[in-house]
Amino acid sequence: MSQTPTGVTAPRGFAAAGIAAGIKSTAGSKDLALVVNRGPAFASAGVFTSNRVVAAPVTLTRAHLAKTGLKAVILNSGGANACTGGPGLADAEATAAKVSALLGCEPDEVGVCSTGMIGVRLPLDALMTGAEAAAAALANTPGAGADAAEAIRTTDTVSKTHVSMHGGGWTIGAMAKGAGMLAPGLATMLCVLTTDALVDDATARRALAKAVRTTFNRTDSDGCMSTNDSVILLASGASGIEPEETEFTEALRSACYDLARQLIADAEGASHDIEIRVVGASSEEAGEAVARAVSRSNLFKTAVFGNDPNWGRILSEVGTVPESLAPYDPDELDVSINGVMVCRGGGVGEDRALVDMTPREVRVLIDLKAGSEEVAVWTNDLTHDYVHENSAYSS
Amino acid sequence: MSQTPTGVTAPRGFAAAGIAAGIKSTAGSKDLALVVNRGPAFASAGVFTSNRVVAAPVTLTRAHLAKTGLKAVILNSGGANACTGGPGLADAEATAAKVSALLGCEPDEVGVCSTGMIGVRLPLDALMTGAEAAAAALANTPGAGADAAEAIRTTDTVSKTHVSMHGGGWTIGAMAKGAGMLAPGLATMLCVLTTDALVDDATARRALAKAVRTTFNRTDSDGCMSTNDSVILLASGASGIEPEETEFTEALRSACYDLARQLIADAEGASHDIEIRVVGASSEEAGEAVARAVSRSNLFKTAVFGNDPNWGRILSEVGTVPESLAPYDPDELDVSINGVMVCRGGGVGEDRALVDMTPREVRVLIDLKAGSEEVAVWTNDLTHDYVHENSAYSS
C-alpha cells in the first residue's frame, strides 16, 4: 500500500484502532480509540488540565504515569466521565483493567482519556465490549491511525492529525480533538503524540512540558478551561535513534503548534482565526497577560466576526491588565490589524477603513514599548454559530 | 402637575436637561444631558473605571473632583472621547469651560462624561452649541430628568432611572446607562446620582465607594471593562436633613442595586438575567472570585440561552479559581439551579430535567462549604442578539 501514514501509527512501534462502541448517541459513530506502544522502549509523559475539578480519567492517568508510565491509551468520546464521583473513578479503573487484560500489560500501564458532556456516567458495558473490539482491530496501518483520530471527535468537524519526519530518520505522529471549551491550562482537548525516537521518561517529560507551554497553552478559543484536557506522549524507541534533547523538544513543539492551529481553525462556529501578537513586553508573563486579555474579549471577538477593525475594543482590554503584571504607558501603545497601524501612541492612527478583514486569518500586533519580549496567542471570533452550537449541545 | 418625579430631578435643588445636539449619527436623537446642583450645599463624589486606558473625560472629571468638587455634570452619548490623546483632553476641557461659563461657576466644578465608540473625536461645534441649548432647557421638572436619562442612552433599549424617598424626608434620584461592555471596575456605564440629603464630601465619598462595590461592581454582563465608566454623586443639602452615614450609605447602595439590575435586564441581546450566588465561601474575595468566574463563562452563558441547566459548565469554571484564592474541596461542591440541586458533593444530584429554565431570572446557587461568606454577582446569557449587536455596532 502506498497510502500516506496517518497520525499516531506513522512512527514505528505503534498500533491503533478506532471503532464504534455505542457510547455516542449517534448510532454507528466511532467513539472509542486505542493506541498501543509495542516497543521496544516504553517512555511516556503527560500534561493535564490545571482545573481543580478534574475528570476521573485524568486522576487515574496522572497516577499511572507517576507510578509506572504508560504503554497504551484508551480514549472515548461521548462522555467526559467528569463530576461522576467514586463510581466514575471505578469506571475509569475498570476500563484500564480491561485494556491491560486484553493487551497483556499491567492496569497501571494504561492511560484513559474521555471527552464529552460533564456529569454523566459512561455506559460501562459498551466500553468493555468496545475495548475488546478495539483490541481486536489494532493495526499499524495508516487507516488505523485515521480511525483512532476519527473516534475522539466531538463537535470537531474534521479529524486532526500530524506526521513529521526528522533528521536521522525518526518520526512524530499525533492525533488531537478539541473544538470548544478551548482555553489554556490546557485548551480543552485530548492529544496523543507518538514517536519512534529513543528517549527516556525524563527527557519525554521535559520536552512535552516545554512543547505544550507555548502551543496548546497559548490557544484560547473561548476562555473556558476543561476538566479533561490531556496531552500524552508515548515513545517506542523503534527507530533506534536518540535525538538531541533540544532537537526532540523543538520537533515536539512544532507538532503541538501544528495541532493547536488545527484546533483553532476548527473552533466551534469560528469564521476567523486570530493571532494576538504582543511585542515590546517587559517579560514573557506581561506579554502573555496582555495577549490573553484581548483573546478573551467578547466585544473584540464579535467585532472581528463583523469584519470590523474596532481597535478601541483591543485597547480597552489591554488596559485591564494590572500594571504590576505588565508595565507600559497607555499613551505609547501601537496596535496594528492586518498590517495597518490603526492606533499609534494610544490614539487614532491610520484610517481603519484601510484594514482588510476578509481573510480567514486576522493578525493583531500590539507594541507595548516596554521591553523586548514577544508572545503570540491564537484565538478565534465569536459568532452566531458558536452561540448556536453551545446553546443546543446537551439539550 | 401630578407627574411622578423622574430620576435626577426628583430631589430638591437639582435641574436637568436632555437635548439633541447632533452628536449621534441618528438625527434628532437626544445625545446631550446636563445635571446641575443648585444647592444650597455642593457635596460630590465619583467612582471611575479601573481600566488603565481611560477616556479623556474620566481624566478630567477625576481631577476636578480632587480639586474642587462638582456642581454640574455634562454627559454625551454618540462618542466615548477615549484614545483620542491630547486633542481629546482639550475637547473635554473646552466642554467643561463652556458649561462653567453658561452656569456661572468654575470650569473645575464641571464634570464631563462621554459614552459611545472609542477612538473617534467628538464634534466640538455640536457640543458647544448643544451645551447652550441644554443650559437654556434646564428645569427641575420630572420631564427634564426623563430627558436627561434619555440623552445618555446608547444601545440601551430603555432609560434607567431611580427615585427613592427616605426616612426624614430626603430623596435620592438617579439616571444610568449601560447595555454592553458591562464588567466590574465598573460595569460599563454612566450614572449620576442626586440627593437633597445634607452630607459632606467625605461622607459622600465613603458612602458612594461602599454602595458601588457590592452593586455595579458585581454586575458582569460580558466581562469587558470600559474606558469611560463613571458614577457621580451630587448632594444639594436642600432637604436640610443630615441622615446617619449608615442610613445614607444603605439608601445609596439600594439605589445602585436597583440601577444595576436595570442594566442587566437591558443587557445587549440578553434573554435571561442570571444571579450567581456563592455561599459557604471562606472569604468575600473567595466567593466573588468563584461567582465572577462562572459569570464570565461563554459556555455556561450560551447553555442558559438554550434553557439548558448544564451544571458541568458551572463546575468546570469553579475549578479554574486558584486554591490560594478560594479554598474548597471539589468533592464537596453543591450546585442548585432555580432551586433544584443538580450537583451534590461534586457529582450528579437531582435530575437536570426537573429544572425550569423558562423564567427570565435564573438563580444559580453554589455552596463551597468552606466558610460562611456569601456573594452574589449578576450576569446574563450569551445570545445571537449579543453577537449581532456587537458585530454590527461600528460598521
Side-chain angles (χ1 to χ4, degrees), chain A residues 51-53, chain B residues 290 293-294 313-322 328 333 335 366 368:
Chain A
N51 203 311
R52 292 163 69 190
V53 175
Chain B
V290 169
V294 176
R313 295 181 180 177
I314 297 172
L315 243 64
S316 66
E317 286 301 327
V318 175
T320 64
V321 179
Y328 64 79
L333 299 171
V335 177
I366 301 165
L368 299 179

Side-chain angles (χ1 to χ4, degrees), chain A residues 51-52 83 117 119 181 298-299 302 308 313 315-316 319 321 323 326 328 330 346-348 352 384 386 390-391 394, chain B residues 51-52 83 117 119 181 298-299 302 306 308 313 315-316 319 321 323 326 328 330 346-348 352 384 386 390-391 394:
Chain A
N51 203 311
R52 292 163 69 190
C83 303
M117 196 157 132
M181 227 185 217
N298 283 351
L299 286 174
T302 45
D308 173 15
R313 295 179 180 178
L315 242 64
S316 66
V321 179
E323 188 161 13
Y328 65 79
V348 183
R352 69 171 78 199
H384 288 297
Y386 176 88
N390 286 297
S391 58
S394 81
Chain B
N51 203 311
R52 293 163 68 191
C83 304
M117 197 158 129
M181 226 185 216
N298 283 352
L299 286 174
T302 46
D308 172 15
R313 295 181 180 177
L315 243 64
S316 66
V321 179
E323 188 162 12
Y328 64 79
V348 183
R352 68 172 77 202
H384 289 295
Y386 177 88
N390 287 297
S391 58
S394 82

Side-chain angles (χ1 to χ4, degrees), chain A:
Chain A
M1 291 211 2
S2 66
Q3 202 182 339
T4 311
T6 302
V8 291
T9 50
R12 283 156 284 184
F14 291 93
I19 59 115
I23 305 166
K24 276 183 179 164
S25 53
T26 43
S29 293
K30 290 192 177 67
D31 50 18
L32 191 65
L34 183 60
V35 182
V36 179
N37 180 357
R38 288 179 164 166
F42 299 95
S44 58
V47 177
F48 301 92
T49 181
S50 51
N51 203 311
R52 292 163 69 190
V53 175
V54 292
V58 171
T59 303
L60 185 86
T61 305
R62 263 189 191 138
H64 289 184
L65 268 168
K67 197 168 171 188
T68 61
L70 305 180
K71 289 184 175 171
V73 184
I74 185 162
L75 313 91
N76 74 276
S77 53
N81 195 9
C83 303
T84 45
L89 190 59
D91 292 343
E93 283 166 349
T95 307
K98 178 75 176 180
V99 172
S100 73
L102 290 163
L103 299 180
C105 65
E106 296 301 313
D108 293 349
E109 293 171 330
V110 178
V112 180
C113 299
S114 299
T115 180
M117 196 157 132
I118 299 175
V120 179
R121 290 278 300 278
L122 290 171
L124 195 59
D125 286 351
L127 261 176
M128 295 295 110
T129 315
E132 289 173 11
L138 278 171
N140 61 358
T141 59
D147 287 346
E150 169 75 23
I152 59 174
R153 283 168 51 178
T154 52
T155 55
D156 306 69
T157 66
V158 294
S159 297
K160 284 91 174 174
T161 60
H162 169 91
V163 176
S164 53
M165 262 76 68
H166 298 277
W170 54 278
T171 298
I172 291 176
M175 64 181 190
K177 67 79 46 178
M181 227 185 217
L182 280 171
L186 304 168
T188 294
M189 46 166 297
L190 303 181
C191 175
V192 176
L193 296 135
T194 55
T195 182
D196 50 17
L198 186 58
V199 294
D200 59 19
D201 280 336
T203 306
R205 274 196 294 271
R206 282 192 301 266
L208 187 64
K210 281 187 190 166
V212 165
R213 193 176 66 87
T214 57
T215 55
F216 292 127
N217 269 345
R218 291 199 180 147
T219 302
D220 198 330
S221 172
D222 59 9
C224 294
M225 189 198 291
S226 159
T227 52
N228 288 60
D229 302 315
S230 305
V231 180
I232 292 171
L233 169 65
L234 304 174
S236 71
S239 70
I241 299 167
E242 191 175 351
E244 291 286 326
E245 183 167 339
T246 52
E247 184 195 358
F248 180 68
T249 303
E250 181 49 33
L252 211 55
R253 204 201 64 79
S254 178
C256 290
Y257 184 80
D258 175 30
L259 292 162
R261 288 286 290 111
Q262 292 183 51
L263 296 183
I264 282 289
D266 192 32
E268 284 170 351
S271 69
H272 286 94
D273 305 346
I274 311 170
E275 185 195 53
I276 315 288
R277 184 170 292 273
V278 176
V279 301
S282 58
S283 68
E284 193 177 341
E285 293 66 34
E288 186 168 342
V290 169
R292 191 79 76 193
V294 176
S295 78
R296 292 190 173 179
S297 165
N298 283 351
L299 286 174
F300 164 66
K301 290 161 68 150
T302 45
V304 172
F305 170 53
N307 286 336
D308 173 15
N310 195 328
W311 59 270
R313 295 179 180 178
I314 298 172
L315 242 64
S316 66
E317 285 302 328
V318 175
T320 64
V321 179
E323 188 161 13
S324 57
L325 193 55
Y328 65 79
D329 178 349
D331 293 330
E332 290 288 322
L333 298 169
D334 291 345
V335 177
S336 297
I337 305 178
N338 284 349
V340 179
M341 194 180 285
V342 284
C343 168
R344 184 178 291 117
V348 183
E350 303 301 315
D351 185 352
R352 69 171 78 199
L354 298 173
V355 181
D356 179 9
M357 296 287 286
T358 55
R360 169 98 192 180
E361 283 199 4
V362 172
R363 305 229 173 213
V364 174
L365 183 69
I366 301 166
D367 190 347
L368 298 180
K369 300 189 189 158
S372 56
E373 292 296 326
E374 180 171 342
V375 172
V377 165
W378 279 92
T379 186
N380 49 260
D381 53 354
L382 177 58
T383 69
H384 288 297
D385 288 348
Y386 176 88
V387 173
H388 175 72
E389 284 197 40
N390 286 297
S391 58
Y393 184 74
S394 81
S395 55

Side-chain angles (χ1 to χ4, degrees), chain B residues 340-352:
Chain B
V340 179
M341 194 178 284
V342 284
C343 168
R344 182 179 291 116
V348 183
E350 303 301 314
D351 185 351
R352 68 172 77 202

